[in-house]
Each structure stands twice: as structure tokens, then as C-alpha cells.
Amino acid sequence: MVSLIEKCEVAPSPGSAAELTLPLTYFDHVWLYFHRMRRILFYKLPISRPDFVQTIIPSLKNSLSFTLKHYLPLAGNVSCPQDWSGYPELRYVTGDSVSVIFSESDMNFNYLIGNHPRNAKDFYNFIPQLAEPKDAPGFQLAPVLAIQVTLFPNHGISIGFTNHHVAGDGATIVKFVRAWALLNKFDGDEQFLDKEFIPFYDRSVIKDPNGVGMSIWDEMKKYKHMMKMSDIVTPPDKVRSTFIITRDDIGKLKNLILSRRPNLTHVTSFTVTCAYVWTCIIKSEAAIGEEIDENGMEFFGCAADCRAQFNPPLPPSYFGNAIVGYVARTRHVDLAGKEGFTIAVELIGEAIQKRMKDEEWILSGGWFKEYDKVDAKRSLSVAGSPKLDLYAADFGWGRAEKLEFVSIDSGDSISMSLSKSKDSDGDLEIGLSLSKTRMNAFAAMFTHGLSFL
């Protein structure tokens, strides 16, 4: 199904800094025991294996090397004290590199890039696994990034990314991918690398007047048995599907809500889309005959970039994690009823609006305490953001044909991915990974509801 062409290590280009160490902030600590992030970009490109080997592989290696000169921590490791006495940090030293696999597959490319239900296990052929951690004196060093490029002869190419969330949030990783794409497209010419793609590394801009970093780290150490420095991959028995919600549908959902609740102030594309998916998820459970506690609590969680919420704001190119989680919650029966969608929009909008500009809540670590109250098995979370356009990553082959968030397979909760549509401005793409029966029930709910708008 997949055969290896080459496995190599790509280091930052000559002239890079000899070393770089970044302390973790309290925004980073919480991701130490989180599952790894896995994304795949698919590109239509009718190229043969000889052309792939002779032109694509050398170009991608060279441009990646130039890109890593600016993104040194991604070539390095997360360094964690073996006795847990000190803080972890990101550390790059000369000689560190990123593992890159080049492979070839005879799988049906058009099947993989479809929106219909596809076997989730199939996608694990096209994402790399992070190398095992290495022991150093007093520390354990775990790599933070690996890449796999796969050729589908005469059809296309996929680029799979696996990264440790502790190295950076979606904004950081997307900027890295888009920087690499630009340098590949323009043969390493850095004049095409806009300022927004040059990382800002000064961690002193993250103020911690309340000592939140130490308190969160002390709390995290209680769960050190869960902090798997190894990258453990378990392909699930699920199917993946993509659903498109059009700008027209989003407008109708907004109008529906405002006709019912004219005084609501946070009725956005994000809010109505997530609320609609949440209620369809809830109702799909009953449709497949699951036994449900109607008074049990249901949770919705999303993360928001808080770079702009600081005073002064953090630079948009700040490298690392700068996201906080918002949680909405209510009883199952509230979401499953006729007013479920309206209730969901209200709850999600209120959660975001309440916290969006609350600098004190961010600086005090109040967002961290939210996680303790969430039952992962009864929650829906969001990966990705329409504000982060990975489809725009053009390596010289045009826009990506399909984006898959493979990591939504992981964990006890249901996770949805959300991104801009590749085809139409204003449309949104929703990715889900569910059991086959649950997916069929969800798809019926999703399509049926939109048809009545």
C-alpha cells in the first residue's frame, strides 16, 4: 500500500543560530500530555515517480532546510527534567533535525480526498510517527516535528505533519507550513517570506504577575504518569467524513437565531456552525439507540487565540502556544429538544463573549481550571480555525485539494475540525471521525436540518 522511497534528516540551513532555548510558558505546560497533532495536505499533481525523485524531493529538502533556519525549535526537542524538579523547555542545538519520510502509495487518491465516509485507518499510512525520546544527562529529549511526503503516481502528493502541541498552537504550525510552501515555490528566495511568517521568540512578553506558570506546572506534575513522551499511535475503528456548510446556510442559521433571540450579540459564523454540529451530534446518539442520561451534562470546548488580548498585544507571529479554552455546558435534554440549536448558540456565544476580552481571566489561569470540570466522554471539541488557512499553502502546485485533521481521531471526546472551504470564500468545512453507524446518523441529521432552512 505504501513503500518507502527515502528516509532522511533535514537540518536548518548553514548560517542558522548554533542553539536556541525557549522556556515553556503557562500556555505551553497544559499540552505536555496531550496527544500529538496530525494533519495531512493533499495536492493534485500528475507527476511520475522519476520526476518526483529528481525534482520534488530535492526541492522540498532544500526549502525545508531554509525554513527551519527561521523555525529552529521545530528541528529541536522538548527537554523534560527526568526528576521533574525543573521546568521543561524547547531546546535546539546544532546537529538537531527533522525526520522526513518520502514514500509512494498505490491507494486511490480520489477516494482519500473525497468528503464521503472513508476508513480512518487508511490515513495513518500517510502521517509520520515522532521518533522515540532520547536520554540526556538529567533530561529526556523528545522531538517535536516529523514530516511524511507521499507520491500517488500520476495523481498527486500528500504531506503529512505530526507535531507535539507543546511546541506551538495552530497559528504557529500553520505559519511554518505556509513559510515552507512559499520558500519551495520561489526556490528558497526569502524576499517572498512576508514578515508575518518570521517567528517572534521573546518569551518575556508573556507576563505572569500571579505566578500562574508555577501553579499550573505543580498541578501538571500530579499527572506525570500520563505524560507520554513517546508518540503512541493507535488507528481507530472509525470513519472520517467532511461536511460543507455554505455561506448561504450560515446566513440562514444566523437569521433563524436572530428571529428567535433578536437581542443576542455574538451570533457569528463560528458560533452557529459549532452549535449546529453540536446539536446534530447529540441527536445522532439517540438515533442509533444509545442509552442516555437525559439530565447528564454535555460539554462544548473550543480554543481561541489570545495574542491580541494582552496589553500590549503579543505579535501575531509569536511562536508558541497562546490559546485558552472556552467551555459551554448544559443538560443533554436541553440540546436534544426542539430548542436545542438556539440554546447551543446562546451558550457558545456567551462563553466566548464573556472570556474574549477578559485579560484577568487569562492572566490568572482561570481557563486552566475549566478543564477539571469537563467530562471528556460527553464533550465535543474543535480543532483548527477558519482564521488559519492551510489551503493557502501553495508549494508551487496550487492550493491544496484536501486538508485532513487526523488527530481528531484521538482521545475520549468527539472532536470536529473546522476550516475554510478550499473552493469558496465564506463556506466552511467540518471534519468528523465517528463510528460508521454514528456517522450515518449524524449525516442524516445534518443534511435534513439544513434542507428546512
Side-chain angles (χ1 to χ4, degrees):
M1 188 176 289
V2 177
S3 58
L4 178 68
I5 295 176
E6 179 184 350
K7 184 173 183 179
C8 61
E9 298 289 326
V10 177
S13 60
S16 303
E19 60 181 74
L20 177 64
T21 299
L22 296 178
L24 299 191
T25 75
Y26 54 89
F27 290 116
D28 301 315
H29 290 153
V30 296
W31 302 108
L32 270 169
Y33 67 84
F34 198 70
H35 61 74
R36 307 306 182 251
M37 304 305 294
R38 310 183 197 279
R39 302 170 178 85
I40 308 176
L41 285 168
F42 291 90
Y43 293 87
K44 280 191 173 179
L45 189 67
I47 190 169
S48 66
R49 177 179 170 130
D51 284 344
F52 179 72
V53 172
Q54 292 165 19
T55 63
I56 299 295
I57 290 180
S59 175
L60 287 175
K61 284 183 184 177
N62 289 336
S63 56
L64 177 58
S65 181
F66 285 129
T67 309
L68 290 172
K69 180 176 72 172
H70 299 285
Y71 287 84
L72 290 175
L74 295 182
N77 298 276
V78 56
S79 172
C80 196
Q82 290 184 340
D83 61 1
W84 300 92
S85 61
Y87 286 113
E89 58 191 16
L90 293 178
R91 182 187 298 170
Y92 166 81
V93 297
T94 300
D96 287 343
S97 57
V98 171
S99 171
V100 184
I101 293 171
F102 293 97
S103 57
E104 178 181 4
S105 175
D106 59 2
M107 272 204 73
N108 187 322
F109 183 79
N110 291 325
Y111 161 81
L112 291 169
I113 65 172
N115 291 343
H116 60 282
R118 292 142 295 148
N119 191 331
K121 292 180 180 178
D122 290 339
F123 292 86
Y124 286 76
N125 296 299
F126 313 112
I127 53 168
Q129 193 167 347
L130 292 172
E132 281 295 303
K134 296 174 291 188
D135 288 333
F139 292 88
Q140 194 172 46
L141 303 174
V144 295
L145 176 66
I147 295 169
Q148 180 175 339
V149 184
T150 304
L151 168 69
F152 300 82
N154 303 313
H155 288 92
I157 290 173
S158 71
I159 305 182
F161 304 87
T162 298
N163 70 276
H164 200 314
H165 206 313
V166 77
D169 54 26
T172 292
I173 299 303
V174 169
K175 282 182 169 61
F176 158 72
V177 176
R178 291 188 61 180
W180 180 22
L182 279 168
L183 288 176
N184 191 74
K185 182 176 182 178
F186 295 109
D187 297 322
D189 191 338
E190 296 192 359
Q191 70 174 337
F192 292 98
L193 203 58
D194 296 339
K195 185 179 178 182
E196 67 174 300
F197 298 119
I198 305 298
F200 179 88
Y201 286 122
D202 185 358
R203 293 288 168 99
S204 69
V205 297
I206 302 285
K207 307 299 182 188
D208 189 8
N210 304 310
V212 172
M214 184 173 292
S215 62
I216 289 182
W217 177 235
D218 286 342
E219 189 67 24
M220 292 293 294
K221 285 193 287 188
K222 297 178 184 177
Y223 303 97
K224 58 187 178 184
H225 63 284
M226 297 173 61
M227 293 191 196
K228 303 177 180 70
M229 296 296 279
S230 295
D231 181 19
I232 299 170
V233 181
T234 308
D237 187 17
K238 296 180 180 180
V239 295
R240 304 178 60 81
S241 293
T242 305
F243 300 87
I244 308 298
I245 188 163
T246 66
R247 177 193 284 187
D248 186 46
D249 289 333
I250 291 169
K252 290 176 181 177
L253 288 173
K254 289 179 180 178
N255 290 337
L256 176 63
I257 284 297
L258 292 173
S259 69
R260 296 176 177 176
R261 300 286 192 276
N263 295 324
L264 280 187
T265 56
H266 200 78
V267 181
T268 65
S269 298
F270 178 88
T271 304
V272 298
T273 299
C274 291
Y276 186 66
V277 173
W278 192 18
T279 50
C280 288
I281 285 284
I282 294 300
K283 293 174 182 178
S284 70
E285 190 174 27
I288 61 173
E290 292 287 334
E291 192 172 319
I292 304 159
D293 177 4
E294 291 201 340
N295 290 311
M297 295 300 292
E298 302 285 356
F299 302 87
F300 172 85
C302 63
D305 189 329
C306 61
R307 286 167 174 80
Q309 310 310 326
F310 279 82
N311 186 18
L314 304 183
S317 59
Y318 170 82
F319 182 99
N321 289 285
I323 52 176
V324 292
Y326 303 137
V327 178
R329 70 200 75 206
T330 191
R331 296 182 307 158
H332 177 91
V333 69
D334 297 329
L335 295 175
K338 290 183 178 180
E339 292 296 306
F341 172 61
T342 305
I343 291 169
V345 173
E346 285 184 299
L347 290 171
I348 295 172
E350 285 173 6
I352 294 173
Q353 193 169 32
K354 180 180 178 182
R355 303 301 190 187
M356 190 167 52
K357 296 182 179 178
D358 189 345
E359 186 182 4
E360 175 58 30
W361 183 72
I362 294 171
L363 291 175
S364 68
W367 48 274
F368 178 70
K369 297 167 188 171
E370 295 265 352
Y371 300 136
D372 289 338
K373 305 167 188 173
V374 174
D375 179 356
K377 294 180 180 178
R378 303 303 312 172
S379 70
L380 172 67
S381 59
V382 182
S385 167
K387 295 179 180 178
L388 305 175
D389 190 7
L390 257 181
Y391 276 114
D394 179 1
F395 285 81
W397 320 318
R399 285 174 64 84
E401 189 65 27
K402 192 68 189 293
L403 166 63
E404 290 286 346
F405 285 80
V406 178
S407 46
I408 64 171
D409 294 337
S410 305
D412 293 328
S413 67
I414 293 175
S415 185
M416 60 179 274
S417 64
L418 191 62
S419 61
K420 281 185 177 181
S421 166
K422 73 174 189 293
D423 296 321
S424 176
D425 193 31
D427 295 357
L428 297 177
E429 284 187 14
I430 299 150
L432 282 171
S433 177
L434 301 168
S435 69
K436 188 174 182 180
T437 53
R438 186 79 180 270
M439 186 69 81
N440 289 339
F442 173 87
M445 296 279 178
F446 184 88
T447 304
H448 183 74
L450 293 179
S451 68
F452 277 89
L453 290 177

